[in-house]
Amino acid sequence: QQQVKQSPQSLIVQKGGIPIINCAYENTAFDYFPWYQQFPGKGPALLIAIRPDVSEKKEGRFTISFNKSAKQFSLHIMDSQPGDSATYFCAARRSNSGYALNFGKGTSLLVTP
Amino acid sequence: EAGVAQSPRYKIIEKRQSVAFWCNPISGHATLYWYQQILGQGPKLLIQFQNNGVVDDSQLPKDRFSAERLKGVDSTLKIQPAKLEDSAVYLCASSLAPTYEQYFGPGTRLTVT
């Protein structure tokens, strides 16, 4: 059972555009929501993370928006660059079960020049 | 700081054969994770260690998969016998403690023919 649902599966934007990736969850026990970036042949790397007591978090060109009542969160990439082309995974973690990460299926982002 | 090391990077075996993967976490990281990443999906946790004890192995197919972390540092993951559906990238990650950021290794790509 997929505990974190992610969309879209793939996304193509032009340089300078603002890709948005959405995730939804059901388990209200989740208390930590990270986003990971993965390049081909590499392991995922933490990009940015948010906790449910905050509605928005910005780090550089990356912003997470969090809607606790809707159980949804999204990643926005401002001024996207070709170097941002990668697969992005949202994840959620609960603190009552070893803090294991539950990942979405991923979004393949292509930023064209 | 050296990252998480994994070997081998690639492995091709026939079904019903056995295979082992090795992981060396970041120095000082007490928590170690093994994830399975099937093509087009997000990583799925197989097993989590805290030092040399198992915290969560609820999604490990124990009839064929085994893992150990005898001295609380390096870890090995074994599959015996392998099935076609075991073809995936096996990712190792480590963190200082369960609540801290997880750092992923580059993974081992397994192909079962």
Side-chain angles (χ1 to χ4, degrees):
Chain A
Q1 181 183 6
Q2 193 75 24
Q3 297 203 50
V4 181
K5 295 183 179 179
Q6 182 172 348
S7 63
Q9 185 175 350
S10 62
L11 194 53
I12 301 175
V13 299
Q14 286 190 328
K15 177 182 175 181
I18 305 175
I20 300 173
I21 304 171
N22 301 298
C23 285
Y25 65 96
E26 287 296 325
N27 191 338
T28 55
F30 289 144
D31 58 3
Y32 175 72
F33 302 88
W35 285 89
Y36 284 81
Q37 181 187 54
Q38 186 175 28
F39 292 105
K42 305 290 186 182
L46 180 65
L47 196 59
I48 186 173
I50 197 168
R51 296 191 182 274
D53 53 346
V54 176
S55 61
E56 185 177 274
K57 183 174 181 179
K58 293 182 180 180
E59 285 188 5
R61 296 184 294 108
F62 301 93
T63 298
I64 299 178
S65 297
F66 189 86
N67 186 329
K68 186 175 181 180
S69 60
K71 292 186 281 188
Q72 295 175 347
F73 57 110
S74 59
L75 176 70
H76 301 233
I77 306 176
M78 311 302 286
D79 187 29
S80 58
Q81 301 296 313
D84 296 329
S85 298
T87 300
Y88 293 81
F89 294 94
C90 61
R93 187 183 75 189
R94 60 187 188 274
S95 57
N96 63 354
S97 183
Y99 299 88
L101 286 170
N102 296 271
F103 284 87
K105 289 191 174 183
T107 296
S108 178
L109 172 66
L110 177 62
V111 181
T112 60
Chain B
E1 177 179 82
V4 176
Q6 290 188 247
S7 68
R9 292 296 313 277
Y10 305 92
K11 189 75 177 178
I12 301 174
I13 62 172
E14 294 183 351
K15 60 183 179 182
R16 291 188 290 274
Q17 286 187 325
S18 62
V19 63
F21 312 126
W22 174 81
C23 172
N24 185 22
I26 294 173
S27 178
H29 281 196
T31 313
L32 186 146
Y33 312 79
W34 283 102
Y35 289 87
Q36 179 192 58
Q37 185 175 21
I38 293 173
L39 185 65
Q41 298 187 20
K44 181 185 82 172
L45 180 71
L46 292 175
I47 189 166
Q48 176 185 345
F49 291 94
Q50 180 65 26
N51 295 309
N52 61 351
V54 175
V55 174
D56 184 353
D57 63 357
S58 57
Q59 298 193 86
L60 186 74
K62 299 181 187 62
D63 58 335
R64 298 184 300 107
F65 287 63
S66 64
E68 60 182 14
R69 193 185 184 201
L70 292 176
K71 297 183 178 180
V73 181
D74 293 6
S75 177
T76 55
L77 176 70
K78 297 179 181 178
I79 307 175
Q80 182 180 13
K83 292 184 176 182
L84 295 176
E85 59 260 37
D86 298 333
S87 293
V89 174
Y90 291 85
L91 294 163
C92 178
S94 70
S95 62
L96 279 171
T99 58
Y100 284 73
E101 177 183 349
Q102 293 183 28
Y103 293 85
F104 285 81
T108 296
R109 180 175 297 279
L110 173 68
T111 301
V112 182
T113 62

